[in-house]
Amino acid sequence: SFAAKAMQAAGLLLAWALLHPAGTQQCHPASPAGVLRFTDTHAEIRVPALHRVPSSLDHLYRLVRRCLDLIQQNPLPTELLRAALNDPGSVRTSQVVQYELGYVVCAVVALLFTVAMPVAGICFCYCRSRRRCGGRLRAHRRSLGCRRHCLLACLSLTSLIILISVTCAFVASQRVKGQMEPGLGAVPTTLRRLRQHINNVPQGVQMVVDQFEVPRQQIISDLSGLSRSVGVSIHTQLKAMTYAALADLEDRAGDLQTSLHHLQILERTALALASARAELEPALRERRRSVVELLDDPRCTSCASVLGRAQSLELGADYSKVPSVEKVLKALSGLPRSDFAEMIRQGNGTFNSIPELAVERMAQVIQDLRGEMAQVTDKVQSIADSFPLPDYTRPVSDALEKAEDRSQPYLREVQRFEQYRWIAGTVLCSIILLILACNVAGMALGAYGLSKREDPSDYECRGEAGAKFLLVGVGLAFLFSWLLILLVFATFLVGGNIQTLVCRNWVNQEIYKFIDTPGNLPPSMNLSRQLNLRRDSNLSAAYRECKSGAGLWEVLQLDSSYDLDEHLKTPKYTAGFQKRLGEFSVRLGDVRLLRGEGRQDLETFARSGVDEVDYGRYQQEMKIPVVQTSLPGLARNLEGLQKMQVSSGVGIGGQFVSPEGQPNLAVPPQRNSTVAGRLAAEARALWQLQNSTVQSQEALVARLGESVQFLSRLAPHLQERVRMTLATTASVEARLPVQAQQILRQELGCFTRKELRYFTQYLNWVGQTLREDVASCQPLATALDNGRVILCDRIAEPWNAFWFSLGCCTFFLIPSIIFAVRLTKHFRPIRNRLISTGSEETCPFHIPRVTALKL
């Protein structure tokens, strides 16, 4: 039945709850909401890192560096620099020349070029005045065309090389100009930002400490909902077990009430049936005698067929023989003595009030934890109070301020000289472009004139103009080449030494090693002392430490060591918090599901003997009818016999017809009206006995069947169910406080770990922010790297590309001059020509003869 299935389901649920105790689930995983967000308040004083930007001139830069490496192969001149810095008067010129030997050779070449080009130009002018250089060809040769084309190709190729070189020079010059101003401006800006960074360390540390308000507010917010969260968790995890036990107890209480009710029905009904049987017996005996006598009367036609049924008219079931339940009812007398409904309601209410009870009993510990958070705030403030930097960063700040002030005049001078360099470079590059324009115009006009000249000795104005353009270009080359070589050498000397002496040794950190070596720098330039570095440290070590993200306090010379990791250990701030939560204990889950009276009622119910009654005997007796012969059936038979009288039928063809109009061949009609009347009277008496007595007894039997059916179904499992209910109720009552305590400890453990994650996030952020931002030494390393990027990558490389490109233009002016002068003669008319009747190729034995000269 449905009740049995529901009871079985409740038992299975209760067994599952007991076999799977609460408090075993893990903490909820950390959600994205558990990640704290802190405000970055130090971004405006950071030193942005600069990087080398890829350029279209990178191949040219690499070529220039290889050339400089060939020119200057000597390493960093440690001894020479030490002498120059400590005692400039002791530096010998031979030492400088020996180190700068490559540059000296280049200087000699530049000097020779400077002297040779003007001298060559003067000689050219003298020759030109004698009409020798750039004049006319004296004789026509068949090979002149091939020579002319070769000269045109060589001059074009030379001009193309010069054009590419001057274009690179223009681009490099503009890049130097574009990088020089921001690069020079970055020097004081970087020094000023470094000084601001160091001076703002105390305020930055205090800002970082003030950010503890973020985890503190989060923890306070979590504390506000802790107690209710714990109570709800206990209620949620234990409600399946508790509700299953209460449902099982309610079922047993219902079984007790229903069983008592059916037992009472069973007892009353059995007694009523036995009493009714005794009353029915004489009446039934009288009816049987009367009916048998009537049917046995010879005047009764066709009554022998019913006589057998009348003779078997006697009582059936005898309920005085069924087992009595009086003993069971006596055992259950006065039950239930307790109000199970009220008991279950109270247990349910007590269990449902656990969340409110948790809030009430945890109020004090929540208040204590709030007070503990105030103490933790004071401990966190000690990070800023004990930070040692303000007393030790003053020398660094003073050194940076002094460097910023002293650098301003030098930077202004460098910017002024760079302006001069740019103007001179632009003018000279423009002159080179003018020379190229003359070469191009000369070649174009000369080639066009040659194509239009019919006779080599004919004068052609366009060819003559082309020759003059070429000579103008040659003159400009002679006139300005010495200025070009001076500019090339000056920029080469500066840029080359910056690359080989500074940048190359800056990249491989040889400069740091030189500075770190004692005695290399004069006392006034002792950077370790000016920057107040640790006694056991130097610039190279400080640079490496700063580069790797060390803090200022780790590289500065402090009187007492400061261990930030020691100040950022989580237990230092969470010990009191954890201790209070660890020591907290409160008893929750004391719920009484079944009191003593109720337990006694159920035990009495189980021992009452309800399961010992022989309900099968009842069921067997109920299968027997109240009267063995059916009174309604016998009454109908008598009524049928009474109706077969003569007046009830009409003869048709010698047959008797029943009142219904059907012929009745088996039953002859009653001829005696007295017998018919007595048959009718007996039938009425049987109907009256059936309706007045037998029918009421059958109703009692039906009622008795319902009770027997319920009790027979309950009896086999009664003791087991009651025993299980009592055992599980006692077990649940005992386990509720234990498991509630386990859940409490688990929830507090989860809460502690969650809050510790907030502390850990904050302290990790503090360490990272102090090391990488607020009190980081990395800006010093970044400033040095930025200086190298600005000086070497953004200024020196295009500077060197400029002089290299301009030098290529200058040196390729020599072949340009030669080819232009040689080509000029081919554009002018030839002085004389040899006229022959045959060629040397067809007439190998040609005899020349006198020809007329055509001037």
Side-chain angles (χ1 to χ4, degrees), residues 657-734:
V657 181
S658 68
E660 288 82 3
Q662 298 295 330
N664 191 344
L665 301 178
V667 182
Q670 297 290 341
R671 296 181 175 86
N672 194 317
S673 60
T674 303
V675 173
R678 288 183 64 189
L679 286 171
E682 289 298 333
R684 286 194 299 272
L686 289 174
W687 278 115
Q688 184 178 4
L689 183 63
Q690 170 68 23
N691 295 331
S692 63
T693 305
V694 176
Q695 193 171 357
S696 62
Q697 290 187 34
E698 288 176 347
L700 290 175
V701 171
R703 186 178 181 187
L704 180 66
E706 294 177 0
S707 299
V708 169
Q709 184 181 5
F710 174 81
L711 293 171
S712 62
R713 189 171 58 247
L714 174 68
H717 311 287
L718 176 62
Q719 290 197 8
E720 181 183 355
R721 290 178 179 176
V722 172
R723 179 183 56 79
M724 180 180 288
T725 299
L726 294 176
T728 53
T729 303
S731 176
V732 169
E733 287 182 345

Side-chain angles (χ1 to χ4, degrees), residues 410-612:
Y410 296 104
L411 296 177
R412 285 194 292 270
E413 288 297 319
V414 170
Q415 192 168 1
R416 184 166 62 87
F417 282 114
E418 163 57 21
Q419 187 69 22
Y420 295 156
R421 181 211 62 82
W422 181 80
I423 294 173
T426 303
V427 171
L428 292 178
C429 287
S430 301
I431 292 173
I432 293 175
L433 289 177
L434 183 59
I435 294 172
L436 289 177
C438 291
N439 286 349
V440 172
M443 287 188 289
L445 290 174
Y448 184 70
L450 286 176
S451 65
K452 295 298 183 181
R453 190 166 59 186
E454 296 180 356
D455 190 283
S457 62
D458 290 341
Y459 177 83
E460 215 288 320
C461 62
R462 282 164 292 199
E464 186 66 27
K468 289 181 179 179
F469 268 113
L470 291 177
L471 290 178
V472 170
V474 170
L476 290 174
F478 278 123
L479 184 61
F480 291 101
S481 58
W482 66 279
L483 291 176
L484 285 170
I485 199 65
L486 289 179
L487 180 61
V488 168
F489 179 73
T491 52
F492 158 72
L493 189 62
V494 174
N497 277 290
I498 290 176
Q499 174 62 36
T500 58
L501 187 62
V502 179
C503 295
R504 187 169 64 189
N505 296 292
W506 199 338
V507 171
N508 57 27
Q509 298 190 2
E510 289 294 327
I511 289 181
Y512 296 145
K513 296 178 183 178
F514 174 79
I515 294 174
D516 293 337
T517 303
N520 284 348
L521 296 179
S524 60
M525 297 177 62
N526 191 334
L527 294 181
S528 296
R529 187 175 67 250
Q530 290 182 3
L531 296 177
N532 199 25
L533 300 180
R534 290 196 320 264
R535 292 185 179 89
D536 60 342
S537 181
N538 50 40
L539 186 60
S540 298
Y543 172 78
R544 287 192 299 271
E545 291 178 8
C546 293
K547 189 77 173 175
S548 63
L552 281 172
W553 66 93
E554 294 174 328
V555 299
L556 296 183
Q557 181 179 342
L558 304 179
D559 294 338
S560 58
S561 62
Y562 179 79
D563 190 357
L564 180 62
D565 294 331
E566 186 65 28
H567 286 77
L568 298 181
K569 287 184 177 179
T570 305
K572 181 178 180 181
Y573 306 97
T574 61
F577 194 86
Q578 289 180 276
K579 183 179 179 182
R580 289 185 182 274
L581 283 174
E583 293 177 350
F584 174 73
S585 178
V586 63
R587 189 169 179 85
L588 298 172
D590 290 334
V591 179
R592 291 295 303 276
L593 303 181
L594 183 63
R595 295 189 177 88
E597 298 84 356
R599 182 176 298 276
Q600 291 176 5
D601 287 349
L602 292 181
E603 290 175 351
T604 303
F605 178 44
R607 295 193 305 266
S608 63
V610 175
D611 55 333
E612 298 175 358

Side-chain angles (χ1 to χ4, degrees), residues 42 197 200-201 204-205 208 552 769-776:
H42 209 251
H197 171 74
N200 288 336
V201 167
V205 174
V208 170
L552 281 172
T769 305
L770 290 181
R771 283 192 172 93
E772 298 180 3
D773 187 6
V774 173
S776 174

Side-chain angles (χ1 to χ4, degrees), residues 53-211:
V53 181
S55 170
S56 57
L57 299 177
D58 285 345
H59 297 291
L60 180 60
Y61 295 161
R62 284 194 289 270
L63 178 61
V64 174
R65 285 198 297 270
R66 291 193 184 97
C67 292
L68 289 174
D69 290 339
L70 292 175
I71 294 171
Q72 178 56 281
Q73 301 180 8
N74 298 320
L76 184 69
T78 305
E79 299 296 333
L80 183 60
L81 289 176
R82 180 189 297 116
L85 292 173
N86 290 276
D87 187 9
S90 64
V91 177
R92 296 191 301 273
T93 305
S94 60
Q95 293 176 321
V96 178
V97 171
Q98 183 179 359
Y99 176 74
E100 298 279 351
L101 183 60
Y103 293 98
V104 171
V105 172
C106 294
V108 171
V109 173
L111 181 61
L112 291 176
F113 189 93
T114 304
V115 174
M117 288 300 289
V119 172
I122 293 173
C123 294
F124 174 76
C125 290
Y126 176 76
C127 292
R128 184 73 190 93
S129 66
R130 296 291 182 175
R131 294 185 178 182
R132 293 180 180 178
C133 296
R136 300 179 182 182
L137 292 172
R138 294 185 177 277
H140 181 268
R141 296 286 185 274
R142 293 183 180 275
S143 61
L144 287 179
C146 181
R147 277 163 136 192
R148 182 168 56 248
H149 288 99
C150 182
L151 289 174
L152 275 171
C154 292
L155 183 58
S156 299
L157 179 61
T158 304
S159 300
L160 179 62
I161 294 174
I162 295 175
L163 177 62
I164 294 173
S165 300
V166 76
T167 302
C168 292
F170 261 122
V171 173
S173 179
Q174 286 301 119
R175 192 158 293 176
V176 172
K177 185 176 185 297
Q179 293 293 339
M180 185 66 74
E181 184 174 355
L184 296 177
V187 174
T189 301
T190 301
L191 294 173
R192 184 164 53 254
R193 287 204 174 197
L194 283 176
R195 186 160 46 85
Q196 291 175 353
H197 171 74
I198 294 173
N199 291 338
N200 288 336
V201 167
Q203 295 90 335
V205 174
Q206 186 59 47
M207 290 178 184
V208 170
V209 169
D210 291 341
Q211 286 293 303

